[in-house]
Amino acid sequence: MSDNESRLRPGDRSLVLRAALGCLLVLGVVAGGMLLPRPGVATVRGWAESTGPWFVVLFLVAHIVVTVFPVPRTMFTVSAGLLFGPAGIVLCMAASIAAAALAFLTVRWVDARHPSQVINRVREHPAYTPIAARLRVRGWLAVGSLRLVAAVPFSILNYASALSPVRFWPYLVATAIGLAPGTTAVVLLGDALAGESSPWLVVVSGVLMAVGITGLVLDARMPARVKP
């Protein structure tokens, strides 16, 4: 690999910078929250536990349905840590994968059978063009690398993948693998914010976020070979 190939391209530098700033922002907010009084968190968690399995089902359904649309999933990820502790990792992973699958299949179906202004709006979104370019070059590998940290909107990556040649099952597997570090990190931060877990969870979350950013950097440094 030559020096030029090993350097981050301008678009990739912006992507990595946004990912790093996003991770620092989440860590800063949670760390600050741990230093401030947190009345009501234990009460809310106790209420969630007392409602039984129906609350878990409601959380899953809400997470899936809402994040199919252009709504940040971070609020659900942090809430899962606050409400369910480390068990929220499983809930968020399941809901996020289901939402990604539902969004992908719906957009692909609509695009194939009923092209509409909704699909055109997706293509006009400012984040769509750079994402689509990476998908054309790397396919499902781009899906995995962009999922590692919240460098791009969750929903826009779902839609852009559906409008690309990426196949469904490689997309879904890459989504699951790519989401794991960031989801685990943010859920653990939410759990630490509840004040019932070790502050070392913040350190663990920081390490997981660093792993995600490192993966994104390594992918960005790989030479791009556009498929003929």
Side-chain angles (χ1 to χ4, degrees):
M1 186 183 297
S2 67
D3 290 340
N4 289 334
E5 288 178 327
S6 65
R7 293 173 183 167
L8 294 180
R9 292 171 291 277
D12 291 324
R13 283 197 297 271
S14 174
L15 193 66
V16 172
L17 180 59
R18 288 201 305 271
L21 290 175
C23 289
L24 288 174
L25 178 61
V26 173
L27 282 170
V29 169
V30 174
M34 291 178 67
L35 299 175
L36 298 173
R38 298 182 299 278
V41 173
T43 302
V44 171
R45 179 174 282 188
W47 174 80
E49 292 172 351
S50 69
T51 56
W54 285 112
F55 182 76
V56 175
V57 173
L58 180 62
F59 181 87
L60 278 171
V61 172
H63 190 327
I64 293 168
V65 172
V66 172
T67 54
V68 164
F69 299 95
V71 177
R73 60 186 283 271
T74 305
M75 65 178 184
F76 284 100
T77 316
V78 174
S79 297
L82 284 168
L83 295 171
F84 308 112
I89 296 170
V90 177
L91 294 177
C92 280
M93 284 296 298
S96 297
I97 292 169
L102 181 59
F104 181 98
L105 293 173
T106 301
V107 171
R108 183 158 286 188
W109 185 87
V110 171
D111 187 51
R113 292 167 177 79
H114 306 285
S116 66
Q117 292 182 350
V118 175
I119 300 300
N120 290 334
R121 288 197 191 99
V122 172
R123 292 191 170 102
E124 292 169 0
H125 192 283
Y128 173 78
T129 300
I131 294 173
R134 290 178 71 93
L135 289 168
R136 283 194 300 270
V137 172
R138 303 196 193 284
W140 60 269
L141 286 173
V143 177
S145 68
L146 292 173
R147 295 289 196 199
L148 284 169
V149 284
V152 298
F154 175 74
S155 58
I156 298 301
L157 181 53
N158 295 337
Y159 307 155
S161 298
L163 297 173
S164 77
V166 175
R167 292 179 296 151
F168 175 73
W169 287 111
Y171 157 82
L172 202 61
V173 172
T175 290
I177 294 173
L179 285 177
T183 300
T184 301
V186 178
V187 171
L188 290 179
L189 283 173
D191 186 31
L193 186 58
E196 298 182 6
S197 301
S198 170
W200 280 101
L201 287 179
V202 177
V203 176
V204 173
S205 296
V207 170
L208 288 170
M209 289 180 176
V211 169
I213 293 174
T214 300
L216 185 62
V217 170
L218 290 175
D219 175 76
R221 289 171 67 91
M222 291 173 62
R225 295 184 176 88
V226 180
K227 296 177 182 179

